[in-house]
Amino acid sequence: MYDFIVIGGGIVGLATARNLLQSYPRAKLLILDKESQWAFHQTSNNSGVIHSGIYYKPGSFKAKFCREGNISMTEFCNKYNISHEICGKVIVATKPQELSLLEDLYQRGLANGLKVEKISAEEVKEVEPHVSCIAGLRVFSTGIVSYRQVCQKLVDMIRDDGGELLLKAHVTQIKDISEGKEIDTSQGIFATRMLINCGGLQSDHLAKLGNVDPQIQIIPFRGEYYELKPEKRYLVKTLIYPVPNPNFPFLGVHFTKMIDGSVHAGPNAVLSLKREGYHKTDFDMRDAAEIFSYPGFWKLASKYSKDGIQEIIRSFSKDAFVRSLQQLIPEVISDDLVPTHAGVRAQALKPNGQLVEDFLIIKDQKSIHVCNAPSPAATSSLEIGKAIVRELST
């Protein structure tokens, strides 16, 4: 009998396991993941950004955990010599109608306690010489890191603290027992007093297996990226973002310097017909049927039909993708870009068609389920882990 079993070996699951062992040093803990390596899905396929928290509603979990996570993640990287850089970023307005939105974003940054500065087009060029804009914001606390390296350190720490880690353990059934939960997996049956579900793209399925109705469904959105050829990396010094469309739940294509020196451009946001579908041709009948039979999906699709069509066009037309990037850096041409890996965002959606905007953590008597943890979950992971430990004491 384990005291804790954590399902999901991405950065949220690993950070949660570490915090549990720090708070309960004598606890018997097991972390399970169905893949053959840790941090296989969202964690290893994201942009590697240590986010500031500027976009999120003041007072929300995302705003609080991201702001605090920016600090704790940076401290973690400093303490354990994990390569990272607090390089800052610029958010730029390229059209007059975006200026009021840029001002709103500035005020939100101040409300979230961030160091953020309004800068002119000329001052933007001092930071990013190749950007074309009419005004911008400089956000100082944004950084870059390899979250895969962070996860490897967390794995080592969990093991050193006596935690057990098991890969290739696909969960097939979760049963209520008198002392807690019994979990059937492809690697055997395990019992625990408390189950913590950090299953990401499968988190709603796992909650339902555990007899908890999360009242949401995970809808997978694939984000596709291009990469600047090495000889064109000079075009981007830090991170360059457009002003996000307030009527669309994604940030728009942007430029991100990675910790390895490469520069990624993207992502778009297209519906994936497979929860773990990283390629345009990936398809899973069960996943697709779940999406198309869910009332919330059709309500969402009707609300964002125009934006959704534009995202699909960018997916299949490199020229359309490049035109979006040229709004930020006009010099970029199609030959400067090569395709690189995609990521899949696990986005929770309500039956009424509303996206779950905040992190969603559901507590049951013998289980806790993290059922919405897209970006900025990697930045916030150490703080989400702390929050889960606090939930256990309430």
Side-chain angles (χ1 to χ4, degrees):
M1 171 69 72
Y2 289 91
D3 297 297
F4 305 106
I5 290 181
V6 178
I7 301 176
I11 195 167
V12 172
L14 294 169
T16 297
R18 173 182 178 259
N19 275 287
L20 286 167
L21 288 171
Q22 284 187 312
S23 300
Y24 302 94
R26 296 185 180 181
K28 189 177 180 185
L29 179 145
L30 172 66
I31 182 165
L32 303 169
D33 196 276
K34 66 184 178 65
E35 303 297 345
S36 59
Q37 56 185 281
W38 302 107
F40 186 78
H41 288 293
Q42 290 185 98
T43 306
S44 289
N45 293 288
N46 67 23
S47 60
V49 175
I50 303 175
H51 287 284
S52 65
I54 191 170
Y55 298 109
Y56 312 115
K57 182 179 179 181
S60 66
F61 285 134
K62 279 190 176 182
K64 180 180 186 320
F65 292 168
C66 188
R67 184 181 65 250
E68 294 173 358
N70 177 284
I71 297 168
S72 59
M73 183 59 66
T74 303
E75 289 175 346
F76 184 91
C77 292
N78 283 327
K79 184 174 182 179
Y80 297 108
N81 297 315
I82 294 169
S83 297
H84 68 290
E85 180 185 351
I86 304 303
C87 55
K89 76 173 179 182
V90 292
I91 304 170
V92 299
T94 59
K95 307 180 185 74
Q97 57 266 36
E98 293 176 342
L99 291 174
S100 63
L101 300 175
L102 195 68
E103 176 65 25
D104 291 344
L105 205 56
Y106 173 71
Q107 295 299 330
R108 177 161 283 194
L110 295 180
N112 283 334
L114 304 179
K115 183 182 178 184
V116 56
E117 179 182 53
K118 295 180 186 178
I119 53 178
S120 67
E122 292 75 20
E123 289 170 320
V124 169
K125 282 193 173 292
E126 292 176 11
V127 182
E128 293 289 350
H130 302 277
V131 167
S132 176
C133 67
I134 57 176
L137 297 179
R138 191 168 186 187
V139 186
F140 291 88
S141 58
T142 302
I144 51 176
V145 69
S146 168
Y147 284 117
R148 187 185 288 272
Q149 289 182 25
V150 173
C151 286
Q152 185 55 58
K153 182 60 183 179
L154 289 170
V155 166
D156 294 341
M157 296 172 78
I158 292 164
R159 191 174 284 122
D160 290 345
D161 288 343
E164 299 177 40
L165 302 103
L166 187 60
L167 291 167
K168 300 181 182 178
H170 179 72
V171 175
T172 56
Q173 195 170 9
I174 300 173
K175 303 172 188 173
D176 288 314
I177 57 176
S178 58
E179 294 181 81
K181 300 280 187 179
E182 185 177 85
I183 304 164
D184 291 10
T185 79
S186 54
Q187 294 270 33
I189 299 173
F190 306 95
T192 183
R193 293 182 175 84
M194 178 60 67
L195 167 67
I196 296 97
N197 164 20
C198 299
L201 286 156
Q202 308 296 338
S203 58
D204 57 337
H205 287 166
L206 290 164
K208 291 172 184 176
L209 276 180
N211 297 316
V212 172
D213 181 5
Q215 298 182 17
I216 54 91
Q217 181 169 306
I218 295 295
I219 302 295
F221 288 93
R222 186 174 59 254
E224 298 160 336
Y225 289 87
Y226 286 91
E227 182 178 344
L228 283 177
K229 291 179 178 178
E231 61 270 24
K232 291 293 184 175
R233 291 175 182 172
Y234 71 88
L235 292 171
V236 177
K237 307 298 183 187
T238 59
L239 292 86
I240 306 164
Y241 283 67
V243 177
N245 178 353
N247 298 316
F248 193 58
F250 301 100
L251 293 179
V253 295
H254 47 269
F255 291 93
T256 305
K257 183 179 80 167
M258 309 291 279
I259 197 64
D260 64 1
S262 63
V263 176
H264 284 195
N268 59 358
V270 293
L271 178 69
S272 174
L273 297 181
K274 181 180 180 181
R275 289 207 180 197
E276 295 161 4
Y278 298 98
H279 304 95
K280 290 181 178 69
T281 55
D282 285 346
F283 177 81
D284 182 271
M285 181 64 76
R286 176 189 168 185
D287 290 348
E290 281 187 348
I291 293 168
F292 294 133
S293 63
Y294 187 57
F297 168 73
W298 294 107
K299 293 172 183 177
L300 178 75
S302 63
K303 184 177 180 180
Y304 295 113
S305 58
K306 182 179 178 181
D307 299 288
I309 289 169
Q310 290 302 313
E311 296 294 318
I312 293 169
I313 290 171
R314 273 201 291 247
S315 177
F316 287 95
S317 169
K318 185 179 182 182
D319 287 343
F321 205 111
V322 171
R323 284 195 296 271
S324 295
L325 296 171
Q326 286 172 336
Q327 293 179 32
L328 300 173
I329 301 181
E331 294 171 61
V332 170
I333 61 174
S334 182
D335 286 346
D336 296 339
L337 300 160
V338 293
T340 187
H341 69 85
V344 179
R345 176 190 181 106
Q347 176 63 56
L349 180 65
K350 299 177 184 178
N352 64 3
Q354 287 187 334
L355 294 167
V356 178
E357 294 184 0
D358 209 353
F359 296 138
L360 178 62
I361 301 173
I362 301 168
K363 184 181 179 184
D364 190 43
Q365 187 176 1
K366 298 174 183 176
S367 59
I368 293 175
H369 302 267
V370 182
C371 286
N372 193 56
S375 180
T379 303
S380 309
S381 55
L382 298 174
E383 302 306 314
I384 294 173
K386 294 174 187 175
I388 289 172
V389 170
R390 289 194 295 269
E391 281 289 321
L392 293 171
S393 63
T394 60

